[in-house]
Amino acid sequence: MLKLKKKSKRSKKKHFQPETPPLSLQERLAQKRKATKARKEFTGLLTKAVSVAIIAGILLAVVGGIKAAVPGVVGIIVIAFCFKYPRQALFAFIIYVPLGGTITYYIGNSPILQLAKDAFYIPALISIWQVSKRQRLPLLIPKALKTPLYILLASCTITLLFVNGAQQFSPPPAGLLQDAPKEVPLGMGILGLKVFLGYLPLITCYYYLIRNKRDFLFLSRLQVVLILVSCILGFIQYFLLLTGICEGTRNAVGGDLFKATLEARCYIGGSLVYSPSQGMIRLPGTFVAPWQWAWFLISSTFFTFGTGFSDPSILWRIVGLGSLVTVFVNAVISGQRIALALVPTCFILLLLLTGQLGNLKRFIPLGMGLALILTIAAITNPTVVQERTESFVGRWNASPPQQFIMDQFEENWKNVAGPFGSGLGRATNSARALGQTKLVETYYPKVLYEVGIFGLLAFLGLVTTLTVVCHRAYRSIKNRNLRSYAASMWVFVLFISYNTYYYPLDVDPVAVYYWFTAGILLKLPEIDKQEKANTESEQQGKKKR
């Protein structure tokens, strides 16, 4: 009797399991035809792309040598495949961002390689634009950005035409016995506009990339893995310098002891300073320059926090916590004062604004684990911690950030050419090859100098609208894990929208991560609705059974 009862229970369990019906012969044949068609398309595209690339490569080799030919051949093949496969291109783009500096200097330090990531982004954007046009889907997301974006574009167009245009066609006269500077102000303006707003369409790209919860989790976990890999490479770089395998700038003389140079490069990333005799260290990690690494660590705090506290899998929460620890440690060993200040500040800000302090079951083990690891690291390396702390305090006392920002605003307010600015690109470092640029070390004074008070107010209107829309999206989410992750992303958008210290929105990685984050966040309410609908359908199915 007992055996019969057990058997009946097993049969009930089997009965309740959803069975996937076997595919019919017609369906199997349709799948085979689809796979065959995809293979033919891939092979055909590869053949055409390689043929065109080889012809172009031969021409480039004749004109510019092998250094021009190789990037040209690779670029044509990459662009062709990115246009055909935009989803894969967007994943490749986000993988390339933290590793681009290292790849650039391993291949050969060509200026073209600095723009290599756009070979993934631009073809994918064009492809998505074409698909959205065919399917009558909106290209601008969210719709609330339409008015402020058009106002900003109108202001930038006026600056480009009437300020950059005047500089191009009516340049100021050169001084006595002086040659007129060779400049391309319109080229500067176009490049300046690309730097200013070129990555805004990433909102739409990643909004459409994420189709469901599975895509979202894959992307968020991929980002955490990239952070972990980059931070491990940062550890390796520090270890190689510490042990003397890499010389750094320790044997430099005079002022060179305090300057980041490419000659001091240590296998990973680009320019660095390592002068232990002077207590001077500025590491670039996997990026081209040290301050880019600092802002990568700052932005990584938000991604690792989101996964560490919000991922539904305990394994990935542990990975997120581990990545967060590596971010904290790199903030100390990299010698970047701004990272040392803002990484813990952002962590505390996230705890307060996302409500994780109240989630004691999840916060206590993760928080205690993080505190324990950081305490052990501090105890075992007291000299490093002391040096970095003293460097930060000394810098703050010498030049308080708030005073520095106010001085920059005052100086650029006095020197700006007019209400529409001094010209797009005139304070953009990457445009210096096309003309004279001014170094402005804070973001909103830089915007003021380039596009004037009208452009500055229009940009503030754009980012304020985006921040408000992102807040509404985050507040509308009901699923606890999705809501917690969305809160982390919203705090990042809020923080970067109004940060004016330095100019992270102008360069990698924040120039990418800001818009990328907004795209993910704006998709989460839709994923939340999908999950709710799936749960309700499952419950209805159980009731019917």
Side-chain angles (χ1 to χ4, degrees):
M1 286 292 289
L2 225 111
K3 285 180 183 177
L4 284 169
K5 282 181 183 177
K6 282 183 179 177
K7 200 171 184 181
S8 65
K9 280 182 181 178
R10 280 180 198 150
S11 64
K12 278 181 184 178
K13 281 182 182 176
K14 282 181 184 176
H15 178 71
F16 283 119
Q17 284 175 352
E19 294 181 5
T20 52
L23 296 171
S24 65
L25 179 62
Q26 202 171 10
E27 287 172 330
R28 288 201 300 273
L29 288 171
Q31 280 190 349
K32 280 185 180 179
R33 282 196 298 272
K34 192 177 178 182
T36 305
K37 186 183 176 185
R39 276 198 301 272
K40 281 182 179 177
E41 285 180 354
F42 181 86
T43 309
L45 178 63
L46 181 63
T47 306
K48 289 176 185 175
V50 169
S51 302
V52 172
I54 289 170
I55 294 166
I58 293 167
L59 295 172
L60 287 169
V62 172
V63 175
I66 194 71
K67 284 187 177 180
V70 173
V73 169
V74 174
I76 289 168
I77 295 169
V78 168
I79 288 167
F81 275 90
C82 289
F83 180 77
K84 177 68 177 174
Y85 305 104
R87 285 182 57 78
Q88 290 81 354
L90 290 173
F91 283 118
F93 173 75
I94 212 66
I95 291 168
Y96 187 86
V97 167
L99 304 175
T102 301
I103 294 168
T104 295
Y105 290 117
Y106 265 111
I107 293 174
N109 190 21
S110 167
I112 298 169
L113 293 170
Q114 304 284 354
L115 304 171
K117 66 182 183 301
D118 291 336
F120 300 110
Y121 162 57
I122 293 172
L125 174 61
I126 295 168
S127 181
I128 288 167
W129 173 71
Q130 289 184 344
V131 171
S132 63
K133 198 175 178 182
R134 280 198 305 269
Q135 297 180 4
R136 295 182 179 178
L137 296 169
L139 185 63
L140 181 61
I141 294 172
K143 287 181 182 178
L145 282 187
K146 189 174 181 179
T147 302
L149 178 59
Y150 285 175
I151 292 169
L152 178 58
L153 286 174
S155 179
C156 289
T157 303
I158 291 169
T159 301
L160 182 64
L161 294 177
F162 295 102
V163 180
N164 291 83
Q167 293 168 2
Q168 180 77 53
F169 299 110
S170 300
L176 189 65
L177 302 176
Q178 288 183 346
D179 293 328
K182 293 179 180 178
E183 293 190 329
V184 189
L186 279 174
M188 289 184 76
I190 293 165
L191 182 56
L193 184 60
K194 187 264 178 189
V195 170
F196 192 29
L197 294 172
Y199 292 113
L200 186 146
L202 283 173
I203 298 175
T204 304
C205 290
Y206 284 95
Y207 181 89
Y208 288 133
L209 176 72
I210 301 169
R211 299 165 298 188
N212 48 42
K213 188 178 179 181
R214 185 180 175 184
D215 286 348
F216 161 68
L217 288 175
F218 177 79
L219 188 60
S220 63
R221 290 166 180 176
L222 172 65
Q223 184 65 10
V224 166
V225 169
L226 289 169
I227 291 166
L228 185 60
V229 169
S230 299
C231 287
I232 289 169
L233 290 173
F235 288 143
I236 293 169
Q237 186 179 67
Y238 179 70
F239 176 77
L240 293 173
L241 288 161
L242 190 68
T243 54
I245 296 171
C246 288
E247 187 177 299
T249 54
R250 68 176 88 222
N251 294 322
V253 180
D256 292 339
L257 285 164
F258 304 93
K259 290 179 184 176
T261 60
L262 197 56
E263 289 73 25
R265 181 177 175 268
C266 180
Y267 295 106
I268 301 151
S271 304
L272 64 82
V273 184
Y274 184 76
S275 305
S277 61
Q278 308 298 318
M280 184 70 179
I281 174 171
R282 299 288 182 272
L283 301 186
T286 57
F287 284 82
V288 171
W291 67 270
Q292 286 179 295
W293 179 238
W295 281 99
F296 172 76
L297 295 174
I298 293 161
S299 55
S300 295
T301 309
F302 296 87
F303 294 110
T304 53
F305 183 96
T307 298
F309 282 90
S310 311
D311 198 285
S313 165
I314 189 167
L315 174 64
W316 280 102
R317 288 203 297 272
I318 292 167
V319 173
L321 173 66
S323 301
L324 184 59
V325 170
T326 62
V327 169
F328 267 88
V329 177
N330 269 280
V332 176
I333 65 172
S334 68
Q336 295 296 320
R337 288 181 289 250
I338 193 163
L340 183 64
L342 289 183
V343 166
T345 303
C346 291
F347 179 72
I348 294 165
L349 193 68
L350 282 163
L351 285 174
L352 295 173
L353 294 181
T354 62
Q356 288 298 341
L357 277 173
N359 187 7
L360 295 177
K361 285 184 180 178
R362 190 167 289 183
F363 170 70
I364 289 174
L366 289 175
M368 292 293 287
L370 179 64
L372 180 64
I373 293 166
L374 292 175
T375 303
I376 292 167
I379 291 169
T380 51
N381 297 278
T383 309
V384 175
V385 175
Q386 186 180 353
E387 281 179 359
R388 304 298 178 270
T389 307
E390 286 175 356
S391 174
F392 172 74
V393 172
R395 175 66 178 175
W396 184 287
N397 291 333
S399 177
Q402 70 278 6
Q403 188 59 49
F404 178 64
I405 293 166
M406 291 304 297
D407 290 344
Q408 291 265 299
F409 263 115
E410 187 178 348
E411 183 203 344
N412 288 285
W413 178 258
K414 288 176 182 177
N415 294 325
V416 67
F420 289 102
S422 302
L424 278 159
R426 282 294 176 187
T428 302
N429 282 343
S430 56
R432 63 184 179 271
L434 299 171
Q436 291 180 351
T437 58
K438 180 183 179 183
L439 177 62
V440 184
E441 295 181 84
T442 49
Y443 188 67
Y444 280 109
K446 179 256 180 189
V447 174
L448 172 68
Y449 184 78
E450 285 201 353
V451 292
I453 188 64
F454 291 122
L456 174 62
L457 293 174
F459 184 74
L460 274 169
L462 178 78
V463 296
T464 300
T465 304
L466 182 62
T467 306
V468 170
V469 170
C470 286
H471 182 260
R472 286 176 186 163
Y474 136 63
R475 296 292 294 174
S476 69
I477 298 169
K478 305 300 179 189
N479 180 285
R480 187 180 68 180
N481 289 330
L482 292 177
R483 186 184 174 93
S484 178
Y485 193 92
S488 304
M489 297 299 96
W490 176 73
V491 176
F492 178 67
V493 171
L494 174 70
F495 172 66
I496 296 298
S497 292
Y498 300 105
N499 169 71
T500 190
Y501 191 74
Y502 230 77
Y503 42 94
L505 259 179
D506 256 14
V507 285
D508 297 342
V510 177
V512 169
Y513 288 164
Y514 177 72
W515 310 108
F516 157 77
T517 300
I520 296 173
L521 174 51
L522 292 169
K523 188 70 174 186
L524 289 180
E526 195 174 312
I527 294 171
D528 183 46
K529 288 175 185 175
Q530 288 176 8
E531 289 300 300
K532 189 180 178 182
N534 291 340
T535 305
E536 286 173 357
S537 63
E538 283 176 13
Q539 287 174 351
Q540 286 174 0
K542 285 178 182 178
K543 283 177 183 177
K544 285 178 183 178
R545 288 168 190 163

